[in-house]
Every structure is written in C-alpha cells, then in structure tokens.
Amino acid sequence: MKKEEKEEQRRTPYIDAYLKYIQDKNIVFDVPGHHQGKIRTDFDKLFSHQVYKNDVNCPRGMDNYMHPTGAIKEAQDLFAKACHADYAKFLLNGSTSGNLVMLLSALKANEKILLPRNVHKSVINGLILSGAIPVFILPNIDTQTEVANQPTLKEWKEAIDKNPDIKAIFVINPTYFGATCDLKRLVEYAHKKNIIVLVDEAHGTHFYFSNKCPISAMEAGADMATLSVHKTGGSLTQSSVLLVKGERVPRYEVIKAFNLITTTSPSSILLASLDAARKYLVFKGSRQIYNAVKLAKQAYIRINEIPGFKAHSKDYFTKKCHSFSYDETKLCVELDKLSIDGFEFYKILKDKYNIQIELAEKYVFLLLFTIGSEQKDVDRLIDALKEISEKYYDENVVYADPHYMSSFPVMKIRPRVAFHAPLKVVDLDDSLNMVSKEMVMAYPPGIPIIVPGEVISQEVINQIKYYEKSKATILSDWDSTSQISVVDEENWDYELEEKNIE
Ligand SMILES: Cc1ncc(COP(=O)(O)O)c(C=O)c1O
C-alpha cells in the first residue's frame, strides 16, 4: 500500500459520524424503541448502559445502510481499498449472508456451480434460494484426523474440464481447519474459461493483513469473497464484509441480491466495529498476526511433548493432505491414546479449566490463534493439557476406525426442487434410499452430512447416529434426529415439478 493510501486508512468515517450523532444529545422519536436507553433492563447487568445510548439505527447524519452515500459508503470504500477490492458491502448477518449474496448474484435457476462438498450450510441455502444446480467436487479427506481438506488444483481443473457448462466455481479459503488450495492458479484457469470465482473467506480475514498467511481471494484475482471479519479480524460477532472485484458479476446483480437478503435495521454498533477493525488491521494486524503464528508454533511444540496429544503442522496439511498451503494461525490437535474422546475433552476443558476451544470432533480439536491471543493463555492451556494427560492417557487405548463417510451421498434432484417437494417425515432408520428434504449436520463445523435433494445412504444414517451418540450438537429441521424429512415421492410428479420450479 502506498504511503498516502495508508495515511487515508487512519480515517474512521462511520465512527466519526456516529460520535457526532451521540454527542448531539438528540431528542428522539424514531426506532429503536428504547429511545437511546430511556428504559432500564437486566441488560445493564452485562454491559454499561452506554450500549443502549449508542444503539441507533440509520438516523440523519449516519447514512443509509440500504443506499449508502455518506459515512457508511466511505467506511466500505476504505475497507475495499485495504483489501484491494473494487468495492465492499458491510454485512450484518455474517458470511452466511455473504454466501447468499454471492450465489444469488452470480447464478440464476438451473445454472451450474462447481463447489466442494464440505461447504458451509449457508452455501446450500444459497443453492435453494437461487435454484442453481450444484456439481460437487470431493474434498481430500484425511482419514487419520477425519478432517475434510481441499481438492488439489489438478482435481479442480479436471472437474472444470468435465463440466464445460458451469457458470461459477466456489472455493473455501481456508477451510475450517486451515487448508487452502492454489487459489491464484485456479482463478487464472477459471477466468480463462470465463467462469466466475466465488470465495468463502469466512475464516480468512487476516490473510489480507499479513504476509505470514496464504494468499487472499482478492490478491488471487477472484471475483467475490465473503469475510467473517468477526471471526479473525476483531470486529463484533456477525459483522462481516463482502468484497467484489471486476464486473464479471455485474454490480447491479450484487446490490439486488444484497437488498434481497439484508436487514433494513442495521446495528450501528456492528457497523462501527467494522470501521474500527479495518483501521486496527491495517496498522496493527501484521504484528498481531505474526504473534498469533508464533504462539501457534510454540503451542505445537509444547503440545507434542504431552502424552495423549499430537499437534499437526503446516507440513502435515501440505504433504500428507495435499493442500497447497495452510493457515498457521490454526492448530489442529489429534487425540492419541486418551481414554476420553474429543467431545468429552471439549467439555472437561471448559467445565474444569474454563478454557473454551473452537471445536472438537471425535478424535481432533481445533485451536484458533488470533490477533487477540496471549502467551499467558497458551501457558494455561498447556497446564490443563498436562493434567488431562496425567488423568486420561492410557497406552492401551485403541481407537475405533475413523467414522468419516468414505463417500458423499448422490444428488438426485436440485436442492431448490427438493425444498419445495411434498413432505414426508420418517424415522431415520426407515429413510434409506429416500431423497432428503433437509440438511443435517454437526455444528460446528456446520458441514452438511446430507443436503436437500441427496439420496440418504446407510453411511448417512450411521453418521447422524454416530454424532447423536457422541452428544455433538446436531442441526436439523427437527428436535430429534430420530426423524428426518424426505420427499414424498409417491405423491409427486418430479418432471412437472422440475418444470414448474425455476
Ligand atoms: C466455511 C464457513 N463459511 C461460512 C460461515 C458462516 O459465517 P458466519 O458465521 O459469519 O455467518 C462459516 C461459519 O462458521 C464457515 O465456517
């Protein structure tokens, strides 16, 4: 970034307009109805009453979220410049909404998109809403850790060549566990064939602010990306950003899709946190991310000295798991001869040691090191792991075979058509070979085991039962996973339905 461009990044236009509005001490007759904190509630037990006082919507002077021309637009433009994008849109419902905007703006009903099967549930929702046809590319699954990583560049290219009618590809940069693909070359290959590249960068905001990270979507030349700034960029939960480069997806389509899914009542608090996070990242991000990587590397060494735990480095993901690169702010740790599983470990760590980690699966857990990570917290974690090791390490423990599905289910009908098809609710045990109407997944990471339109296989049934037994949090349309919604194929004319549902 040039010197004058960096200087410009010192500005916080939204925060400035906000401050002025609050300092004006206005008398209000607008929403929100608490009228800048005229009521007292138990909310004050959690936060200073100032939160109410500062909670405003889109009053005069603070711009309009749906049609920004002032402070919001300036703040978005600064964000776009910081990330080498042509323009940015602030999102208030996470990358969930970013994924919806990307799919809705890039694809029309019945157009095809190539995407890895380990996408987040919001992407499947985007398929339902847009009516697009998914062509899934299989992630490389590491059977040792049961982690789904990236398809290789070769696999991407082969899938693109095999599907000449695809309009877009969808890439995850990085996956939940940190794996990345050769994004730059993939973008070049796709663009040569006039294919749009959409990137889910929910976990990759920090890539834009450090040379210790894999390449970012905008740097790689992708058309659009969604960043959960709240995940790794330091803004408040839910606040995210959509970045757009070029006109392969017309601006009109992007704004139309954004207007379709977004709230008309933006949280000023969340918007301000995006303006603040961007400035922080530009000026302090690089140092803090360097620190995060340093702490992750130190934790890697120390964890590997504790019996019962096997931490994995970048090398593991690039050499063994065929990933192109790896986000070293993440640390994936495998359990090794502990007499408890990952779900139990997760609970003990929180309940006994007050340590909250990002996620645990049956045999692995994931630690995030961020711009907020501190040495003393790593030290506490290591002490806790040592105690857990002393109590639960047992040389004789033999783990059961990995449980990850060896193949993904076959898609019979488009997710949108399945979504609208007649409903039949059946016991999970009776659902074999039926077409699912719903998505079922363990959360986190929120990667669907089955999606609407796919045929339920025995492996799917086993996988759902396995998560249920493991007491993982399972998301589905029902309170209990003993039932599942399927397409009532007996009372349904598929051909007619496919014709009628655009
Ligand atoms: C890969 C991926 N994409 C998208 C999302 C959705 O992001 P958000 O929680 O900001 O809506 C997540 C959330 O965990 C995710 O893991």
Side-chain angles (χ1 to χ4, degrees):
M1 196 182 278
K2 287 193 199 123
K3 202 167 165 231
E4 58 276 23
E5 282 172 349
K6 190 140 185 193
E7 253 338 277
E8 202 196 359
Q9 291 287 333
R10 293 200 186 280
R11 297 182 54 229
T12 48
Y14 187 74
I15 289 180
D16 297 350
Y18 196 168
L19 255 181
K20 163 136 190 9
Y21 184 80
I22 300 298
Q23 284 165 355
D24 283 347
K25 300 207 178 342
N26 304 288
I27 295 163
V28 298
F29 291 92
D30 69 346
V31 290
H34 58 69
H35 277 182
Q36 291 193 253
K38 294 289 167 22
I39 58 167
R40 290 271 172 184
T41 70
D42 282 8
F43 191 74
D44 290 354
K45 287 183 191 165
L46 282 170
F47 307 103
S48 143
H49 195 65
Q50 195 65 38
V51 177
Y52 267 126
K53 289 189 175 170
N54 287 12
D55 179 43
V56 297
N57 189 323
C58 275
R60 182 168 157 69
M62 286 178 62
D63 207 2
N64 188 296
Y65 180 58
M66 303 290 286
H67 182 64
T69 54
I72 295 176
K73 180 175 185 314
E74 284 175 44
Q76 288 181 161
D77 288 349
L78 283 169
F79 213 116
K81 280 187 190 160
C83 298
H84 312 288
D86 288 346
Y87 64 98
K89 294 294 287 175
F90 287 170
L91 304 167
L92 299 175
N93 187 23
S95 281
T96 292
S97 52
N99 280 334
L100 296 183
V101 175
M102 290 201 294
L103 270 88
L104 284 167
S105 59
L107 296 147
K108 296 197 170 51
N110 289 316
E111 288 182 333
K112 283 191 184 163
I113 178 166
L114 180 65
L115 67 173
R117 181 55 177 72
N118 55 327
V119 287
H120 184 255
K121 70 194 277 279
S122 55
V123 183
I124 306 298
N125 289 337
L127 294 172
I128 293 170
L129 291 176
S130 67
I133 302 173
V135 179
F136 287 119
I137 174 167
L138 295 186
N140 274 296
I141 292 164
D142 173 28
T143 46
Q144 186 176 327
T145 56
E146 304 191 339
V147 168
N149 295 301
Q150 294 279 355
T152 62
L153 181 64
K154 186 166 169 273
E155 287 161 342
W156 270 111
K157 284 181 173 177
E158 279 168 9
I160 290 173
D161 292 346
K162 228 169 99 185
N163 295 280
D165 53 345
I166 52 167
K167 177 139 187 241
I169 61 169
F170 185 96
V171 188
I172 314 167
N173 190 52
T175 60
Y176 211 121
F177 279 86
T180 63
C181 68
D182 189 350
L183 190 55
K184 194 162 187 333
R185 280 157 76 196
L186 177 56
V187 171
E188 281 164 10
Y189 194 75
H191 280 174
K192 259 192 224 143
K193 295 177 180 261
N194 213 16
I195 293 168
I196 297 165
V197 182
L198 310 175
V199 183
D200 182 338
E201 266 181 338
H203 298 275
T205 304
H206 53 299
F207 287 11
Y208 289 87
F209 303 96
S210 164
N211 59 12
K212 297 277 164 221
C213 297
I215 196 167
S216 68
M218 291 296 112
E219 203 186 338
D223 299 287
M224 293 173 95
T226 180
L227 282 58
S228 293
V229 185
H230 66 94
K231 286 191 197 292
T232 63
S235 65
L236 293 182
T237 294
Q238 285 189 213
S239 61
S240 299
V241 166
L242 179 77
L243 300 175
V244 188
K245 207 186 190 77
E247 274 289 323
R248 227 174 243 101
V249 183
R251 189 183 178 109
Y252 165 74
E253 296 293 342
V254 176
I255 304 301
K256 192 174 77 175
F258 172 81
N259 287 341
L260 188 78
I261 57 98
T262 202
T263 177
T264 47
S265 302
S267 159
S268 49
I269 296 170
L270 296 189
L271 290 177
S273 81
L274 284 169
D275 205 17
R278 185 261 315 149
K279 180 175 172 184
Y280 180 90
L281 288 166
V282 169
F283 291 99
K284 302 195 174 138
S286 170
R287 187 191 66 200
Q288 293 299 98
I289 294 158
Y290 175 80
N291 184 54
V293 171
K294 204 170 87 184
L295 288 177
K297 286 185 173 172
Q298 181 211 92
Y300 165 81
I301 294 169
R302 293 170 74 187
I303 289 173
N304 276 334
E305 286 163 357
I306 307 171
F309 301 100
K310 214 185 315 171
H312 293 302
S313 66
K314 179 176 177 176
D315 264 7
Y316 181 88
F317 283 89
T318 53
K319 298 206 172 118
K320 178 166 186 291
C321 308
H322 314 290
S323 301
F324 178 71
S325 189
Y326 188 70
D327 173 10
E328 291 183 283
T329 65
K330 295 182 174 47
L331 193 57
C332 170
V333 185
E334 203 181 329
L335 302 189
D336 182 26
K337 296 188 184 294
L338 281 195
S339 59
I340 47 173
D341 68 12
F343 301 111
E344 192 61 27
F345 167 81
Y346 176 90
K347 272 190 249 154
I348 293 171
L349 209 51
K350 171 64 190 79
D351 295 350
K352 181 151 185 230
Y353 300 95
N354 284 335
I355 295 175
Q356 176 64 45
I357 58 170
E358 176 60 17
L359 131 154
E361 285 270 355
K362 184 87 173 169
Y363 300 115
V364 289
F365 61 92
L366 180 67
L367 303 171
L368 293 193
F369 294 81
T370 71
I371 51 175
S373 295
E374 293 181 349
Q375 178 68 58
K376 65 177 177 16
D377 297 341
V378 179
D379 296 343
R380 277 213 22 218
L381 173 76
I382 299 294
D383 289 345
L385 296 190
K386 281 181 182 161
E387 272 190 41
I388 290 173
S389 166
E390 271 163 32
K391 191 151 179 208
Y392 297 105
Y393 179 71
D394 176 355
E395 264 187 6
N396 300 318
V397 165
V398 180
Y399 291 141
D401 279 345
H403 287 258
Y404 212 100
M405 293 189 287
S406 58
S407 61
F408 283 102
V410 173
M411 178 150 288
K412 188 165 170 191
I413 52 181
R414 272 189 299 153
R416 182 184 178 95
V417 174
F419 184 81
H420 287 291
L423 165 74
K424 191 160 93 175
V425 184
V426 295
D427 285 348
L428 183 62
D429 282 323
D430 299 332
S431 67
L432 184 65
N433 295 330
M434 294 183 179
V435 177
S436 180
K437 255 182 84 67
E438 65 170 306
M439 240 184 292
V440 184
M441 78 212 69
Y443 202 95
I447 297 162
I449 300 166
I450 184 90
V451 308
E454 283 180 340
V455 180
I456 300 167
S457 62
Q458 190 57 50
E459 263 197 309
V460 166
I461 297 171
N462 295 348
Q463 187 81 353
I464 295 172
K465 284 184 167 180
Y466 160 71
Y467 277 119
E468 180 82 61
K469 212 168 129 210
S470 307
K471 299 211 164 25
T473 304
I474 299 179
L475 305 187
S476 77
D477 290 349
W478 304 98
D479 290 340
S480 151
T481 49
S482 58
Q483 288 182 310
I484 189 163
S485 349
V486 296
V487 174
D488 184 359
E489 290 188 82
E490 276 164 28
N491 293 308
W492 192 51
D493 183 341
Y494 166 66
E495 307 271 308
L496 188 72
E497 206 77 25
E498 183 48 89
K499 229 189 280 162
N500 286 341
I501 296 175
E502 261 295 297

